[in-house]
Amino acid sequence: MKNIYYLFFLCLSLVSCAEDDKESFNLILNQTSWSGELTLSNPEEIVYNINIVFETENSGEYYIDKFIPELPFSYKTTLKYKIDSKIILIEGGYNNILTGYWWVVSNDENRLILKRNINTEQDCDTLDLIKLI
């Protein structure tokens, strides 16, 4: 009788583990608008106000609020993106400052924190965004 109880609890625990494995990270950005700060860390830390709109499942645009002609990138441009689990690859656009692999560090319904170049602390850039729509 003890063996039956043991097998029952073993099967029950395996089923509950299988349910946990099925949970996956699901980030959907299309048709959303975000506002926040872009912090660039190399060669020195600079913070920009940024607005990002993810229009479709793979394209969008961003706008940096304070246009400075000396910026080495475009203050407004389109972008292409692809979500792969907890990484967002951003490409495209003219001198796109957001180009690269962004790691999702934190994600809840209204706030998204992304980091790029996470392997080196001094070069690590951060996008801290609040959802508008």
Side-chain angles (χ1 to χ4, degrees):
M1 188 69 158
K2 286 183 181 181
N3 288 340
I4 292 173
Y5 285 123
Y6 176 74
L7 288 173
F8 174 74
F9 286 115
L10 179 63
C11 290
L12 185 61
S13 66
L14 290 175
V15 168
S16 65
C17 289
E19 291 298 320
D20 291 341
D21 292 341
K22 289 180 182 177
E23 290 182 24
S24 63
F25 185 79
N26 190 19
L27 180 63
I28 299 172
L29 293 176
N30 62 308
Q31 299 179 4
T32 61
S33 177
W34 302 78
S35 180
E37 292 182 341
L38 168 64
T39 304
L40 302 178
S41 298
N42 188 9
E44 61 187 54
E45 187 172 290
I46 303 172
V47 179
Y48 298 101
N49 293 325
I50 189 166
N51 293 320
I52 302 175
V53 177
F54 296 98
E55 294 157 340
T56 69
E57 291 180 1
N58 60 9
S59 67
E61 64 183 18
Y62 74 83
Y63 174 77
I64 294 182
D65 288 338
K66 298 177 182 173
F67 174 63
I68 303 169
E70 297 82 29
L71 291 178
F73 52 84
S74 176
Y75 74 102
K76 183 176 183 180
T77 193
T78 59
L79 57 89
K80 298 285 183 187
Y81 73 97
K82 179 180 178 184
I83 300 172
D84 184 7
S85 189
K86 290 190 175 189
I87 298 176
I88 302 171
L89 172 61
I90 297 179
E91 300 176 307
Y94 173 74
N95 286 344
N96 189 341
I97 192 170
L98 299 179
T99 297
Y101 290 94
W102 291 88
W103 292 72
V104 179
V105 175
S106 177
N107 175 37
D108 62 33
E109 189 173 321
N110 296 312
R111 187 169 182 200
L112 180 63
I113 299 175
L114 307 173
K115 290 197 178 270
R116 175 175 61 184
N117 302 326
I118 62 171
N119 56 336
T120 59
E121 188 174 322
Q122 72 186 63
D123 293 337
C124 187
D125 301 326
T126 304
L127 262 172
D128 189 345
L129 303 170
I130 302 294
K131 188 174 185 179
L132 301 175
I133 298 174

